[in-house]
Amino acid sequence: MLSPKIAILGGGQLGQMLIQSAIDFNATIFVLDPDADAPCKDISHQFMVGDLTDYNTVYNFGKEADVITIEIENVNTQALDQLQKEGKKVFPQPNVIRTIQDKRTQKQFFADHNVPTSEFVLTESRADLDKHIGFLPAVHKLGRAGYDGRGIAKINSTEDISKGFDQPSVLEKLVDIEKEISVLIARNEKGAVSVFPVVEMVFHPANNMLDYLISPVVLPAGIERLAQEIATNIIEKLEMVGLLAVEMFLTTSGNLLVNELAPRPHNSGHHTIKANATSQYEQHLRAILGLPFGSTATIIPSAMINLLGEPGYNGIARFTGLDDALQTEGVNIHLYGKKFTKPHRKMGHITIVDTDRSQLLEKLRFVKGQLKVVA
Amino acid sequence: MLSPKIAILGGGQLGQMLIQSAIDFNATIFVLDPDADAPCKDISHQFMVGDLTDYNTVYNFGKEADVITIEIENVNTQALDQLQKEGKKVFPQPNVIRTIQDKRTQKQFFADHNVPTSEFVLTESRADLDKHIGFLPAVHKLGRAGYDGRGIAKINSTEDISKGFDQPSVLEKLVDIEKEISVLIARNEKGAVSVFPVVEMVFHPANNMLDYLISPVVLPAGIERLAQEIATNIIEKLEMVGLLAVEMFLTTSGNLLVNELAPRPHNSGHHTIKANATSQYEQHLRAILGLPFGSTATIIPSAMINLLGEPGYNGIARFTGLDDALQTEGVNIHLYGKKFTKPHRKMGHITIVDTDRSQLLEKLRFVKGQLKVVA
């Protein structure tokens, strides 16, 4: 479908980059976000302020579109059910969003479909943790509404139980991680699947947010193929239409374990805008518009750094070291239209491309050292 | 400068792609275009319908911006003079636009600055052509307002004089062309210059519009460097700030002759979005915002095809052969939001990337054969 009317639930940076790509398909874009100052507010054809979890708001918002999609999982899926019932294309499908938006049902889905994942137990309250002392050390994750390091607590021993959550959560056995990787994969209504080369994600030890990413990843023989097969199995079992990010651990013992899913364009795919033949945003659009998939081939090695608000700064964002960063060969900047910075807020990202991987890592260290978001 | 207010004169596809890139710099974009249905109408922060050649319209439009730029040359430069006088950044500068927007002053600029170009004479009326019979065969070009094959007439002999223009024009001696090439080059306020790898443009014999483009071009030794030096000389002599496209002929006798200039992002640079480390749109923005230049390196060979309205079709645009085109490896489509097609109207373009040049040419022929814009 060309010239589609696309309704996007969520108006953050993922929505922004989706819009930048959707312009190429003559799309008319409606955006719904609770924040009147969201990144998409001025670049969509119609921007609505409203609660993404409210039935009537979501239903009325989606009614005028041809295709409804998301850039955040925490949305009212009952309204999406109704829109789907009325013949709208809702991709990813509401039942897929439901499975993924709760980390408990997500984990259960892995268990039910032979998807390798860390051992886990479901907990209903903080007190439940006392029953699983033998399971520690583990990671406690809130079922709903946790992301980007929120709603996650490391429980090493009984002393940490006070950090656990007193709401329905999942306790996941801690695994020894060699690398964290991400597999982006897309599927369309005909069941065709298209998978991207695997990328390595390096997380910041303090804030648990993505620190930088390298594409393509260097992995032991056979592991990349296996990761792609696992992702293929997941998207096929979900029967999902759209782009899915599958985050995995490669353990020190050489096993792949699926960590989490995100049924939408993902932070680990920003580099694809420049470094792959087709970007994750375009691939998602091709999937939900019923167009053939584009090539996912890496055209050049790349690295991606999130530009996070420096700790200790709150206020109107300023960038220091910008010139040094921008004059580094192969650097592109993407800002998210956020006026105010706060500690660890995602303000933008930098992509670096270089045919030489060691040069790439050197530039990455240089740019990370130079460029800061302050106030 | 980040988070700039940029006013763009012209709201066509070049403006559209400039906006797609400007979003990454947190830009607020104002657009002025005479067509209420122009491609930029829904993707700019503020879209104004008005006459680009009217003093008051242009002056009032530019007043609220930090930086004023163009995506078409035929604008009121007196209003831009005034805005510049009042301290606005106007890039390219009004005097540069004036030199280039009239093909006569452009040619005279070449003559005055030792820029190699075909021999020419200025004509004031059609009758003047009778004085230059010995100069034929030649090409007659209207001084003002001719582009994309309009305002150009081939005068082979006295029999063709009736096709000439009865307004101020330039008569250029016909040269034997081996290849047509384009050099994109940018310069900033500090005088730094950044040049892109040279591309080959292949024109359609019937309608004189760009048929397809290949990057990088294959040229005899030394010619690419020479072309880049000629372009550098031009942008430095113009003291222009912004992106400049320099179209050149490589003659059958091996000489380079400058054909025409365009002081803005250009049709011959669309491929840079995917195929170069920095796109022409981003480079233009970096130039006019006073940011360091990005690398112009080719990251993968590419071809670009304009999607033109098929002759014989007028009405709401439809695309045939779209699936065959889109499922070809390495193909991206860019549509320009134009609802109605007419013969030769630029409706969009296709970029193809492939590491293997012969594969690239094969895909190019296939996609050109398949994909048509009809009504």
Side-chain angles (χ1 to χ4, degrees), chain B residues 164-214:
Chain B
F165 303 106
D166 204 18
Q167 289 155 271
S169 298
V170 57
L171 188 68
E172 303 181 359
K173 207 169 189 63
L174 205 66
V175 293
D176 288 325
I177 297 168
E178 175 74 28
K179 278 183 198 295
E180 299 200 33
I181 63 173
S182 175
V183 187
L184 298 167
I185 187 163
R187 183 177 168 278
N188 65 21
E189 278 187 278
K190 292 177 186 156
V193 165
S194 168
V195 60
F196 282 80
V198 176
V199 300
E200 179 174 355
M201 300 185 296
V202 180
F203 283 80
H204 195 283
N207 59 33
N208 202 30
M209 289 176 82
L210 184 62
D211 194 21
Y212 65 89
L213 169 154
I214 296 274

Coordinates of all heavy atoms in Angstrom, one line a residue, chain B residues 164-214:
Chain B
G164 N 14.0 29.2 -31.4 CA 14.8 30.0 -30.5 C 13.9 30.9 -29.6 O 12.7 31.0 -29.9
F165 N 14.5 31.5 -28.6 CA 13.7 32.3 -27.7 C 13.8 33.8 -28.0 O 14.9 34.3 -28.4 CB 14.2 32.1 -26.3 CG 14.1 30.6 -25.9 CD1 15.2 29.8 -25.8 CD2 12.8 30.0 -25.7 CE1 15.1 28.5 -25.5 CE2 12.7 28.7 -25.4 CZ 13.9 27.9 -25.3
D166 N 12.7 34.5 -27.9 CA 12.6 35.9 -28.3 C 12.8 36.8 -27.0 O 12.3 37.9 -26.9 CB 11.3 36.2 -29.0 CG 11.4 37.5 -29.8 OD1 12.6 37.9 -30.2 OD2 10.4 38.0 -30.2
Q167 N 13.5 36.2 -26.0 CA 13.8 37.0 -24.8 C 15.3 36.8 -24.5 O 16.0 36.0 -25.2 CB 13.1 36.3 -23.6 CG 11.6 36.6 -23.7 CD 10.8 35.4 -22.9 OE1 10.5 34.4 -23.5 NE2 10.7 35.7 -21.7
P168 N 15.9 37.6 -23.6 CA 17.3 37.4 -23.3 C 17.7 36.0 -23.0 O 17.1 35.3 -22.2 CB 17.5 38.3 -22.1 CG 16.4 39.4 -22.2 CD 15.3 38.6 -22.8
S169 N 18.7 35.5 -23.8 CA 19.1 34.1 -23.8 C 20.5 34.0 -24.0 O 21.2 35.0 -24.2 CB 18.3 33.3 -24.8 OG 16.9 33.4 -24.6
V170 N 21.0 32.8 -23.9 CA 22.4 32.5 -24.2 C 22.5 31.4 -25.3 O 21.8 30.4 -25.2 CB 23.2 32.2 -22.9 CG1 22.7 31.0 -22.2 CG2 24.7 32.0 -23.2
L171 N 23.4 31.6 -26.2 CA 23.5 30.6 -27.3 C 24.9 29.9 -27.0 O 25.9 30.5 -27.0 CB 23.5 31.3 -28.7 CG 23.5 30.4 -29.9 CD1 22.2 29.6 -30.0 CD2 23.8 31.2 -31.2
E172 N 24.8 28.6 -26.8 CA 26.0 27.9 -26.4 C 26.4 26.9 -27.5 O 25.6 26.1 -28.0 CB 25.8 27.1 -25.1 CG 25.4 27.9 -23.9 CD 25.1 27.1 -22.7 OE1 25.3 25.9 -22.7 OE2 24.8 27.7 -21.6
K173 N 27.7 26.9 -27.9 CA 28.2 26.1 -28.9 C 28.0 24.6 -28.5 O 28.3 24.2 -27.4 CB 29.6 26.3 -29.2 CG 30.1 26.0 -30.6 CD 31.5 26.6 -30.9 CE 31.8 26.5 -32.4 NZ 31.0 27.3 -33.3
L174 N 27.5 23.8 -29.5 CA 27.2 22.4 -29.2 C 28.6 21.7 -29.1 O 29.5 22.0 -29.9 CB 26.4 21.8 -30.4 CG 25.6 20.5 -30.0 CD1 24.5 20.9 -29.0 CD2 25.1 19.9 -31.3
V175 N 28.7 20.9 -28.1 CA 30.0 20.1 -27.9 C 29.7 18.6 -28.0 O 28.5 18.2 -27.8 CB 30.7 20.4 -26.6 CG1 31.2 21.9 -26.6 CG2 29.8 20.1 -25.4
D176 N 30.7 17.9 -28.4 CA 30.5 16.4 -28.5 C 30.7 15.8 -27.1 O 31.9 15.9 -26.6 CB 31.5 15.8 -29.5 CG 31.1 16.2 -30.9 OD1 29.9 16.2 -31.2 OD2 32.0 16.4 -31.7
I177 N 29.7 15.2 -26.5 CA 29.7 14.8 -25.1 C 30.0 13.3 -25.0 O 29.3 12.5 -25.6 CB 28.4 15.2 -24.5 CG1 28.2 16.7 -24.5 CG2 28.4 14.6 -23.0 CD1 26.7 17.1 -24.1
E178 N 31.0 13.0 -24.2 CA 31.3 11.6 -23.9 C 30.5 11.2 -22.7 O 29.9 10.1 -22.7 CB 32.8 11.5 -23.6 CG 33.3 10.2 -23.1 CD 33.4 9.2 -24.2 OE1 33.7 9.6 -25.4 OE2 33.3 8.0 -23.9
K179 N 30.5 12.0 -21.7 CA 29.7 11.7 -20.5 C 29.3 13.1 -19.9 O 29.9 14.1 -20.0 CB 30.6 11.1 -19.4 CG 30.8 9.6 -19.5 CD 31.7 9.1 -18.3 CE 32.3 7.8 -18.5 NZ 31.4 6.7 -18.7
E180 N 28.1 13.0 -19.2 CA 27.7 14.2 -18.3 C 28.0 13.8 -16.9 O 27.6 12.7 -16.5 CB 26.3 14.6 -18.6 CG 26.0 15.0 -20.0 CD 24.8 15.8 -20.2 OE1 24.4 16.6 -19.3 OE2 24.1 15.7 -21.2
I181 N 28.6 14.6 -16.1 CA 28.9 14.3 -14.7 C 28.4 15.5 -13.8 O 28.1 16.6 -14.3 CB 30.4 14.1 -14.5 CG1 31.2 15.3 -14.8 CG2 30.9 12.9 -15.3 CD1 32.7 15.2 -14.5
S182 N 28.3 15.2 -12.6 CA 27.9 16.2 -11.6 C 28.9 16.1 -10.4 O 29.2 15.0 -9.9 CB 26.5 16.0 -11.2 OG 26.1 16.9 -10.2
V183 N 29.3 17.3 -9.9 CA 30.1 17.4 -8.7 C 29.3 18.2 -7.7 O 29.0 19.3 -7.9 CB 31.4 18.1 -9.0 CG1 32.4 18.0 -7.8 CG2 32.1 17.5 -10.2
L184 N 29.1 17.5 -6.6 CA 28.4 18.2 -5.5 C 29.5 18.7 -4.5 O 30.4 17.9 -4.2 CB 27.5 17.3 -4.7 CG 26.3 16.7 -5.6 CD1 25.6 15.6 -4.9 CD2 25.3 17.8 -5.9
I185 N 29.4 19.9 -4.1 CA 30.4 20.5 -3.3 C 29.8 21.5 -2.3 O 28.7 22.1 -2.6 CB 31.5 21.2 -4.2 CG1 32.7 21.7 -3.3 CG2 30.9 22.4 -5.0 CD1 33.9 22.0 -4.2
A186 N 30.3 21.6 -1.1 CA 29.7 22.5 -0.1 C 30.9 23.3 0.5 O 32.0 22.9 0.5 CB 29.1 21.6 1.0
R187 N 30.5 24.5 0.9 CA 31.4 25.4 1.6 C 30.7 26.1 2.7 O 29.5 26.3 2.7 CB 31.8 26.5 0.5 CG 32.9 27.5 1.0 CD 33.3 28.4 -0.1 NE 34.1 29.5 0.5 CZ 33.6 30.6 1.0 NH1 32.3 30.8 1.1 NH2 34.3 31.6 1.5
N188 N 31.4 26.4 3.8 CA 30.8 27.0 5.0 C 31.3 28.4 5.2 O 32.2 28.9 4.4 CB 30.9 26.1 6.2 CG 32.4 25.9 6.7 OD1 33.2 26.7 6.3 ND2 32.6 24.9 7.4
E189 N 30.9 29.1 6.2 CA 31.3 30.5 6.4 C 32.7 30.7 6.7 O 33.3 31.8 6.4 CB 30.5 31.1 7.6 CG 29.1 31.5 7.3 CD 28.4 32.2 8.5 OE1 27.9 31.5 9.4 OE2 28.4 33.5 8.5
K190 N 33.4 29.6 7.2 CA 34.8 29.7 7.5 C 35.6 29.5 6.3 O 36.9 29.6 6.3 CB 35.2 28.7 8.6 CG 34.6 28.9 9.9 CD 35.0 27.8 10.9 CE 34.3 28.0 12.2 NZ 34.2 26.7 12.9
G191 N 35.0 29.2 5.2 CA 35.7 28.9 3.9 C 36.1 27.5 3.7 O 36.8 27.2 2.7
A192 N 35.8 26.6 4.6 CA 36.1 25.2 4.5 C 35.2 24.6 3.3 O 34.1 25.0 3.1 CB 35.8 24.4 5.7
V193 N 35.8 23.8 2.5 CA 35.1 23.2 1.4 C 35.1 21.7 1.5 O 36.1 21.1 2.0 CB 35.9 23.6 0.1 CG1 35.4 22.8 -1.1 CG2 35.6 25.1 -0.2
S194 N 34.0 21.1 1.1 CA 33.9 19.6 1.1 C 33.3 19.1 -0.2 O 32.2 19.6 -0.6 CB 33.1 19.2 2.3 OG 32.7 17.8 2.2
V195 N 34.0 18.2 -0.9 CA 33.5 17.8 -2.2 C 33.1 16.3 -2.2 O 33.8 15.5 -1.6 CB 34.6 18.2 -3.3 CG1 35.9 17.5 -3.1 CG2 34.0 17.9 -4.7
F196 N 32.1 16.0 -2.9 CA 31.6 14.6 -3.0 C 32.3 13.9 -4.2 O 32.8 14.5 -5.1 CB 30.1 14.5 -3.3 CG 29.3 14.8 -2.0 CD1 29.0 16.0 -1.6 CD2 28.7 13.7 -1.4 CE1 28.3 16.3 -0.4 CE2 27.9 13.9 -0.2 CZ 27.7 15.2 0.2
P197 N 32.4 12.5 -4.1 CA 32.8 11.8 -5.3 C 31.9 12.1 -6.5 O 30.7 12.4 -6.4 CB 32.7 10.3 -4.9 CG 32.7 10.4 -3.4 CD 32.0 11.7 -3.0
V198 N 32.5 12.2 -7.7 CA 31.8 12.6 -8.9 C 30.8 11.5 -9.3 O 31.1 10.3 -9.2 CB 32.9 12.9 -10.0 CG1 32.1 13.2 -11.3 CG2 33.8 14.0 -9.6
V199 N 29.7 11.9 -9.8 CA 28.7 11.0 -10.3 C 28.4 11.2 -11.8 O 28.6 12.3 -12.3 CB 27.3 11.1 -9.6 CG1 27.5 10.9 -8.1 CG2 26.7 12.5 -9.8
E200 N 28.0 10.1 -12.5 CA 27.7 10.2 -13.9 C 26.2 10.3 -14.0 O 25.4 9.6 -13.4 CB 28.2 9.0 -14.6 CG 27.8 9.1 -16.1 CD 28.4 7.9 -17.0 OE1 29.2 7.1 -16.5 OE2 28.0 7.9 -18.2
M201 N 25.7 11.3 -14.9 CA 24.3 11.5 -15.1 C 24.0 11.0 -16.6 O 24.7 11.5 -17.5 CB 23.9 12.9 -15.0 CG 24.2 13.5 -13.6 SD 23.6 15.2 -13.5 CE 24.7 16.0 -14.7
V202 N 23.0 10.2 -16.7 CA 22.6 9.8 -18.1 C 21.3 10.4 -18.3 O 20.3 10.2 -17.6 CB 22.6 8.3 -18.2 CG1 22.2 7.9 -19.6 CG2 24.0 7.7 -17.8
F203 N 21.2 11.2 -19.4 CA 20.0 11.9 -19.7 C 19.1 11.2 -20.7 O 19.6 10.4 -21.6 CB 20.3 13.3 -20.2 CG 20.7 14.3 -19.1 CD1 22.0 14.3 -18.6 CD2 19.8 15.1 -18.6 CE1 22.3 15.1 -17.6 CE2 20.1 16.0 -17.5 CZ 21.4 16.0 -17.0
H204 N 17.8 11.4 -20.6 CA 16.9 10.7 -21.5 C 16.9 11.5 -22.8 O 16.8 12.7 -22.8 CB 15.5 10.8 -20.9 CG 14.5 9.9 -21.6 ND1 13.9 10.2 -22.8 CD2 14.0 8.7 -21.2 CE1 13.1 9.2 -23.1 NE2 13.2 8.3 -22.2
P205 N 17.1 10.8 -23.9 CA 17.3 11.5 -25.2 C 16.0 12.3 -25.6 O 16.2 13.4 -26.2 CB 17.6 10.4 -26.2 CG 17.2 9.1 -25.5 CD 17.2 9.3 -24.1
A206 N 14.9 11.8 -25.2 CA 13.6 12.5 -25.7 C 13.3 13.8 -24.9 O 13.1 14.8 -25.4 CB 12.5 11.5 -25.7
N207 N 13.3 13.6 -23.5 CA 12.8 14.7 -22.7 C 13.8 15.6 -22.1 O 13.6 16.5 -21.3 CB 11.8 14.2 -21.7 CG 12.4 13.2 -20.7 OD1 13.6 13.3 -20.4 ND2 11.6 12.2 -20.3
N208 N 15.1 15.2 -22.3 CA 16.3 16.0 -21.7 C 16.3 16.0 -20.2 O 16.9 16.9 -19.6 CB 16.3 17.4 -22.4 CG 17.7 18.0 -22.3 OD1 18.7 17.3 -22.3 ND2 17.7 19.3 -22.2
M209 N 15.6 15.1 -19.5 CA 15.6 15.1 -18.1 C 16.6 13.9 -17.7 O 16.8 13.0 -18.4 CB 14.2 14.8 -17.5 CG 13.3 16.1 -17.7 SD 11.7 15.8 -17.1 CE 11.8 16.0 -15.4
L210 N 17.1 14.0 -16.4 CA 18.0 13.0 -15.9 C 17.3 11.7 -15.9 O 16.2 11.5 -15.4 CB 18.3 13.4 -14.5 CG 19.4 12.5 -13.8 CD1 20.7 12.5 -14.5 CD2 19.5 12.9 -12.3
D211 N 17.9 10.7 -16.6 CA 17.3 9.4 -16.8 C 17.7 8.5 -15.6 O 16.9 7.9 -14.9 CB 17.7 8.8 -18.1 CG 16.9 7.6 -18.5 OD1 15.8 7.5 -18.0 OD2 17.3 6.8 -19.3
Y212 N 19.1 8.3 -15.5 CA 19.6 7.7 -14.3 C 21.0 8.2 -14.0 O 21.6 8.9 -14.8 CB 19.6 6.1 -14.4 CG 20.5 5.6 -15.5 CD1 21.8 5.2 -15.2 CD2 20.0 5.4 -16.8 CE1 22.6 4.7 -16.2 CE2 20.8 4.8 -17.8 CZ 22.1 4.5 -17.4 OH 22.9 4.0 -18.4
L213 N 21.4 7.8 -12.9 CA 22.7 8.3 -12.3 C 23.5 7.1 -11.8 O 22.9 6.2 -11.2 CB 22.4 9.3 -11.3 CG 23.4 9.9 -10.4 CD1 22.9 11.3 -9.9 CD2 23.6 9.0 -9.1
I214 N 24.8 7.1 -11.9 CA 25.6 6.1 -11.4 C 26.7 6.7 -10.5 O 27.4 7.7 -10.9 CB 26.3 5.3 -12.5 CG1 25.3 4.5 -13.3 CG2 27.3 4.3 -11.9 CD1 24.9 3.2 -12.8

